[in-house]
Amino acid sequence: MLKKENILLVDDDIDILELLQRHLKSMDYHTYKAVSVKEALYILKDTEIDLLVTDINMPEIDGLQLIKYVAEHYPNMPKLVVTGFPSVEDASSVIKYGATDYLTKPFTKVELEDAVKKALASKKDTRPIKTTTKEPYPKGYADMIGNSESFKKVTEIIDRVKDNRATVLIQGESGTGKELVARAIHYSGKFARAPFIAVNCGAIPENLLEAELFGYTKGAFTGANENRNGFFQAAQGGTIFLDEIGNAPLGVQNRLLRVLQEKEVTKIGSQKAEKLEVRVIAATNSDLEELIQNKSFREDLFYRLSVVTINVPPLRERSSDIDLLVDKFIQKYGIEYKDRFVRIAPDALEVFKRYSWPGNIRELENVVQRAVIMCDGIITLQHLPDELKYKIDFPEKGFKTLEEKEKEYIQEVLLSTQGNKTKAAKILGINRKTLREKLK
């Protein structure tokens, strides 16, 4: 059975919405209705829409802003405009942003049907086209957004692992979006309809983590009054995401290793193993190899977890994505807090771009969120925190460490003395023993 196309109708006139819905239902289309742009954005976020049909003149946020937003965030979605107040300026604007037609109220059912068919056909016509130069995900992937080379490297790996159950280890600093990567792997692949269970191994007390992960039987320990499944059983058929895996105690690591090896899990207090079909994705901002050296993380578990490794770059290494990220968060919080689209002044955006963001994307989102709340429609310098405005972090690229500079200088002095360590030490202002240690 062919799937009906989903059409989103946006108009502040309830009577027009009802009329459009009746006409389109009689043509065997499935419709969603929104009386404002804000309501439309919520529907777009959670629903697969095949065609947008919108009015232009609406209170708060107008339809032209919605057309622009859809053109940027859903570039393959066709757009059809209906309006009772036509103008040459509006018509040229909506066509510029990819609207396939511009209907003037009142229109006939036949005119509406022809316009809808034309719009949907334009979408179908674009699907088979393939270019020889592949440039995937020019702006986003799932809930992530970016256009930098380091971002594309991450999405390329996601594409390779999303449809299989290979174990994945995601590494990156705090705030870089490791859970978003895990969710992108799950929800972009063929197991998307199965459960996705996220567990923060650092947030659950050590004495409870084992029971929460693997489940337990009645009487297994004090307080175990019933049989209970753990997170692994809950994730059956889908994905379990183990965040901050470096914080897992050794006892949990031992059981986790067995789960990965045997593809089965045994509840605490039980002797019976249960077969599992679960993809395991782990994440950490710790140096697991250092933890292995300190005997606080099992080396064999590390190799089991890192079948595929994804290194999520810090924001300072993908600064070209800051514009896109700021725009995303401004749109999100502008609609949530202001019921309209918020803009940012160029000099304020420049401050965002020259800051190094030690807290990464999480810090960026928090700053944008606060700025949206404090502004009256345009984010300016006065809405940014002082530590952002006055602390200018110059990029480390191009600068050498003190140790590297010292090494270069010692080599230069030795070269000038033709390798005479006594003369070199005298020039350097140190004794020969110190020089010998540095040369080691």
Side-chain angles (χ1 to χ4, degrees):
M1 182 177 178
L2 291 175
K3 169 184 163 291
K4 292 180 182 179
E5 286 89 348
N6 292 331
I7 300 178
L8 173 58
L9 310 172
V10 188
D11 201 312
D12 61 323
D13 187 328
I14 300 296
D15 293 333
I16 292 292
L17 275 182
E18 294 293 339
L19 177 65
L20 286 169
Q21 186 177 51
R22 283 200 306 272
H23 283 341
L24 292 171
K25 277 191 172 181
S26 70
M27 302 171 201
D28 208 27
Y29 295 116
H30 187 269
T31 59
Y32 293 83
K33 295 185 298 183
V35 295
S36 68
V37 171
K38 182 177 180 180
E39 188 178 347
L41 292 178
Y42 283 122
I43 294 171
L44 284 168
K45 180 182 176 183
D46 299 320
T47 312
E48 185 179 336
I49 297 298
D50 298 295
L51 170 64
L52 170 70
V53 179
T54 183
D55 188 15
I56 290 292
N57 296 300
M58 290 184 285
E60 296 176 345
I61 309 173
D62 64 28
L64 183 57
Q65 293 297 314
L66 177 61
I67 291 285
K68 290 179 181 178
Y69 180 86
V70 169
E72 292 172 359
H73 293 80
Y74 304 91
N76 294 325
M77 184 186 298
K79 299 162 282 291
L80 173 62
V81 171
V82 293
T83 181
F85 303 94
S87 73
V88 174
E89 184 181 352
D90 281 347
S92 60
S93 295
V94 298
I95 297 301
K96 174 184 174 184
Y97 287 101
T100 56
D101 217 334
Y102 185 87
L103 286 178
T104 303
K105 304 173 188 175
F107 45 82
T108 67
K109 181 178 177 181
V110 173
E111 288 174 329
L112 176 64
E113 184 174 12
D114 289 344
V116 167
K117 285 181 177 177
K118 176 183 173 183
L120 290 170
S122 73
K123 179 182 180 182
K124 290 172 184 173
D125 288 344
T126 61
R127 285 177 181 173
I129 298 174
K130 291 185 179 180
T131 58
T132 52
T133 55
K134 185 183 178 186
E135 189 178 349
Y137 320 114
K139 285 191 177 180
Y141 193 113
D143 285 335
M144 303 183 300
I145 192 165
N147 201 25
S148 61
E149 287 304 314
S150 56
F151 177 82
K152 289 177 183 176
K153 286 179 183 177
V154 171
T155 59
E156 285 169 5
I157 300 175
I158 292 173
D159 260 344
R160 291 187 178 276
V161 300
K162 65 183 183 180
D163 291 325
N164 59 59
R165 296 191 188 277
T167 306
V168 180
L169 177 64
I170 304 171
Q171 300 181 115
E173 295 177 11
S174 181
T176 50
K178 296 186 289 296
E179 183 168 342
L180 281 180
V181 174
R183 290 183 180 275
I185 293 170
H186 177 79
Y187 289 109
S188 301
K190 65 182 182 182
F191 307 115
R193 293 186 179 275
F196 176 90
I197 305 295
V199 185
N200 188 332
C201 298
I204 301 174
E206 184 175 329
N207 59 329
L208 292 179
L209 182 59
E210 197 169 355
E212 291 292 331
L213 283 174
F214 309 112
Y216 53 83
T217 60
K218 183 177 179 180
F221 50 83
T222 303
N225 300 321
E226 59 183 357
N227 294 334
R228 183 175 171 182
N229 285 333
F231 291 126
F232 269 94
Q233 290 91 344
Q236 177 74 322
T239 301
I240 186 167
F241 173 57
L242 303 175
D243 198 8
E244 301 304 340
I245 189 64
N247 293 331
L250 287 171
V252 171
Q253 292 180 37
N254 295 338
R255 292 181 67 101
L256 181 57
L257 181 63
R258 180 168 178 80
V259 170
L260 294 173
Q261 287 175 335
E262 308 299 331
K263 308 296 183 187
E264 61 184 27
V265 64
T266 305
K267 291 179 180 177
I268 297 175
S270 173
Q271 302 297 318
K272 183 182 177 183
E274 304 171 45
K275 282 293 179 184
L276 278 183
E277 264 196 287
V278 173
R279 169 171 46 199
V280 176
I281 301 177
T284 182
N285 60 10
S286 304
D287 185 341
L288 291 187
E289 293 185 10
E290 184 178 329
L291 295 180
I292 290 169
Q293 295 297 321
N294 296 335
K295 307 296 183 184
S296 57
F297 200 86
R298 292 190 58 136
E299 186 174 15
D300 46 3
L301 177 59
F302 170 75
Y303 290 121
R304 284 282 179 180
L305 290 173
S306 57
V307 174
V308 177
T309 300
I310 299 178
N311 293 301
V312 185
L315 188 53
R316 62 183 174 275
E317 292 180 10
R318 44 178 296 207
S319 56
S320 61
D321 292 334
I322 287 177
D323 295 52
L324 294 172
L325 289 162
V326 169
D327 180 63
K328 174 185 176 181
F329 296 136
I330 284 177
Q331 301 284 2
K332 174 183 176 181
Y333 292 112
I335 296 299
E336 182 175 341
Y337 296 135
K338 302 290 186 179
D339 288 338
R340 58 176 167 165
F341 289 105
V342 172
R343 293 184 292 120
I344 183 168
D347 55 352
L349 181 59
E350 191 59 37
V351 170
F352 276 86
K353 291 163 71 173
R354 70 190 186 192
Y355 183 60
S356 68
W357 300 105
N360 293 297
I361 297 173
R362 187 182 296 128
E363 182 186 7
L364 174 67
E365 181 173 3
N366 288 344
V367 171
V368 172
Q369 186 178 3
R370 176 188 179 278
V372 168
I373 293 171
M374 301 304 294
C375 79
D376 292 316
I378 300 178
I379 296 173
T380 64
L381 287 173
Q382 71 182 56
H383 304 120
L384 304 184
D386 289 344
E387 62 267 23
L388 199 71
K389 288 185 285 187
Y390 304 125
K391 182 183 177 184
I392 306 304
D393 292 313
F394 295 98
E396 294 179 8
K397 189 175 180 181
F399 292 98
K400 294 182 179 179
T401 65
L402 189 60
E403 184 180 357
E404 289 172 328
K405 294 295 289 183
E406 184 185 60
K407 181 180 178 181
E408 281 185 4
Y409 184 56
I410 291 173
Q411 288 174 332
E412 185 180 339
V413 171
L414 282 169
L415 188 63
S416 70
T417 63
Q418 298 180 329
N420 188 316
K421 295 184 179 60
T422 302
K423 287 183 179 180
K426 187 175 181 181
I427 293 171
L428 292 167
I430 57 178
N431 58 44
R432 284 197 63 188
K433 182 180 179 184
T434 303
L435 176 59
R436 201 161 47 242
E437 289 299 319
K438 288 184 179 295
L439 290 174
K440 288 181 180 178

